[in-house]
Structures are given as C-alpha cells and as structure tokens.
Amino acid sequence: MSVRQIRDWYRARPGYWFRPKLFGWGAVPVTWQGWASTFGLIALSLPIAMLAAQRGMAFLVLTVPLVVGYIYLCWAKTDGDWKWRWGSD
C-alpha cells in the first residue's frame, strides 16, 4: 500500500471527525475537532486520576460516563462503519 493510498484512506467527508482504522477495530481522529475531543478526554482524565488517588470510587464514577460518551461521539462522527479491518478493502 502506497503512502498516497494511506493518506486518502484517512480523509473524512465534511461533518465527520473520525475515520475507521486501517488495521483493527475503531476509529482515529482526522480533523482538528477529532483531535480536540481526544485531547479533551485526556485533559479531563488527568484530574480524575488525581482525584482517584484520594477517593478510589470517584475514578470509576467519573471515568466510565466520560469514556462511554467519548466512544459514542467517535462512533457518531466516524465516516464509515466500525468493523475489524486488516488493511484496505
């Protein structure tokens, strides 16, 4: 597979922030909105992890809805379907 084919695979139509992974299951961010939401997840997870050092259950109570919401956002904003892939079709 050439670099051009890989580059074209990771382009999304307008309105979509993610593209299905070329190998494996899931999606990768391909626009600034996708990257911003990914970094936002990380930025919100860090204080939660620090809070978990003091209160163990707070980590689960706050992290699970955050991650589930992020996965839903990824699924809704992915230009294509989520399925197992082993290279391009």
Side-chain angles (χ1 to χ4, degrees):
M1 178 172 270
S2 71
V3 173
R4 174 174 275 165
Q5 289 172 318
I6 293 172
R7 185 191 66 208
D8 290 343
W9 174 261
Y10 286 114
R11 287 192 177 160
R13 293 178 292 167
Y16 292 100
W17 302 351
F18 298 89
R19 188 79 174 118
K21 292 172 71 172
L22 190 55
F23 292 91
W25 184 81
V28 294
V30 293
T31 64
W32 72 267
Q33 294 97 333
W35 284 106
S37 62
T38 302
F39 288 128
L41 173 73
I42 294 168
L44 290 173
S45 296
L46 292 175
I48 293 172
M50 295 168 86
L51 180 65
Q54 299 167 353
R55 302 181 187 121
M57 197 59 177
F59 181 72
L60 287 176
V61 171
L62 296 173
T63 303
V64 169
L66 182 67
V67 171
V68 168
Y70 176 75
I71 290 171
Y72 176 76
L73 175 74
C74 290
W75 175 78
K77 289 294 195 173
T78 297
D79 184 12
D81 56 340
W82 283 28
K83 65 179 182 179
W84 181 262
R85 287 184 169 75
W86 195 252
S88 65
D89 294 335

